[in-house]
């Protein structure tokens, strides 16, 4: 019996959305999240953008930011594992603001600089991936700001307020809501996502 052989591809191209979802899948695993986390964030972020009156083009940019947001997380795995005891579990604990689950391996005075370095590597790689995929400059810039906070306490540059691209702001809020609602329930998630940076989500 002659085995079935798939015909060769006409070219080496891969559908952009398929590539984005593949990167999102790997990023979710590395960040200790369910493998549909980034897909859910992309969908919800697009709906929020629509509610805010952004057009379809910007909605698409925001979806791309959501799907590539964690794409740089494998590049800094060595640095992360030198700061916290468990790379994947530690990232999951940090995203859920469950800091009691994390064992810090460096002296407290070095944590800030190490976090900034880790964030810089992550953002650089994420934005580079977006460049290689020839995505819009808005997407590339937003990916350099995924760890920035509205109050200026984020990393790696400490951007404040409107210095952070709107697409990065939307994806950050939606991502936190998705994570908090999954861990603590919807009502507690609402409190956690819209309070001052650094506030801890109430525990169950």
């Amino acid at each position: 019996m002659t085995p079935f052989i798939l015909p060769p591809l006409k070219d080496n191209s891969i559908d952009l959305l398929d590539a984005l979802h593949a990167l999102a899948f790997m990023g979710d695993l590395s960040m200790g999240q369910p493998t549909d986390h980034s897909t859910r964030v992309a969908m919800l972020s697009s709906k929020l953008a629509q509610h805010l009156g952004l057009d379809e083009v910007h909605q698409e940019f925001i979806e791309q930011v959501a799907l590539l947001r964690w794409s740089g997380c494998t590049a800094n795995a060595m640095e992360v594992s030198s700061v916290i005891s468990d790379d994947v579990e530690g990232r999951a604990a940090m995203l859920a603001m469950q800091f009691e689950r994390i064992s810090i391996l460096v002296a407290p005075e070095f944590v800030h600089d190490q976090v900034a370095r880790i964030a810089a590597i992550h953002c650089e790689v994420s934005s580079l991936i977006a460049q290689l995929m020839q995505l819009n400059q808005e997407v590339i810039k937003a990916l350099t700001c995924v760890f920035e906070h509205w109050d200026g306490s984020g990393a790696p540059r400490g951007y404040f307020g409107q210095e952070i691209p709107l697409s990065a702001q939307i994806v950050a809020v939606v991502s936190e809501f998705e994570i908090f609602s999954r861990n603590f329930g919807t009502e507690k998630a609402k409190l956690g996502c819209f309070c001052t940076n650094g506030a801890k989500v109430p525990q169950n």
Side-chain angles (χ1 to χ4, degrees):
M1 181 176 181
T2 304
F4 175 75
I5 300 176
L6 290 172
L9 295 174
K10 294 181 180 180
D11 55 42
N12 293 322
S13 63
I14 299 173
D15 180 77
L16 175 61
L17 192 58
D18 287 344
L20 291 173
H21 279 284
L23 289 166
F25 182 92
M26 291 185 291
D28 288 344
L29 286 176
S30 297
M31 295 297 288
Q33 301 304 305
T35 53
D36 64 346
H37 163 68
S38 290
T39 301
R40 285 168 52 80
V41 172
M43 177 188 67
L44 293 172
S45 294
S46 179
K47 290 184 179 297
L48 178 55
Q50 183 179 20
H51 178 76
L52 294 173
L54 300 183
D55 59 32
E56 291 184 0
V57 172
H58 286 87
Q59 291 173 39
E60 182 178 356
F61 292 164
I62 288 168
E63 289 179 9
Q64 292 173 353
V65 172
L67 292 172
L68 286 180
R69 189 170 183 241
W70 301 143
S71 61
C73 61
T74 56
N76 59 17
M78 182 180 298
E79 286 77 9
V80 173
S81 62
S82 69
V83 176
I84 56 179
S85 55
D86 187 302
D87 177 14
V88 176
E89 173 64 19
R91 293 180 201 251
M94 285 189 291
L95 290 177
M97 297 179 71
Q98 295 175 317
F99 302 115
E100 69 281 357
R101 292 164 50 192
I102 305 171
S103 297
I104 305 296
L105 305 179
V106 298
E109 61 267 27
F110 298 127
V111 170
H112 181 271
D113 288 344
Q114 291 280 54
V115 168
R117 180 166 177 255
I118 288 167
I121 295 171
H122 181 120
C123 292
E124 180 181 358
V125 172
S126 295
S127 61
L128 179 59
I129 290 172
Q131 290 179 52
L132 293 172
M133 299 177 80
Q134 300 182 356
L135 301 182
N136 188 274
Q137 283 297 319
E138 181 176 326
V139 175
I140 294 169
K141 183 177 180 181
L143 290 169
T144 68
C145 300
V146 297
F147 296 114
E148 302 292 350
H149 296 164
W150 181 263
D151 65 357
S153 66
R157 297 175 179 84
Y159 285 158
F160 178 84
Q162 297 294 349
E163 292 179 322
I164 306 169
L166 179 59
S167 52
Q169 296 178 41
I170 290 173
V171 172
V173 170
V174 172
S175 178
E176 289 186 359
F177 183 78
E178 198 281 332
I179 292 169
F180 292 167
S181 61
R182 188 166 14 93
N183 284 277
F184 310 110
T186 301
E187 293 306 313
K188 291 182 179 180
K190 291 177 182 178
L191 294 174
C193 290
F194 299 101
C195 60
T196 304
N197 269 337
K200 193 170 184 180
V201 176
Q203 301 294 306
N204 288 325

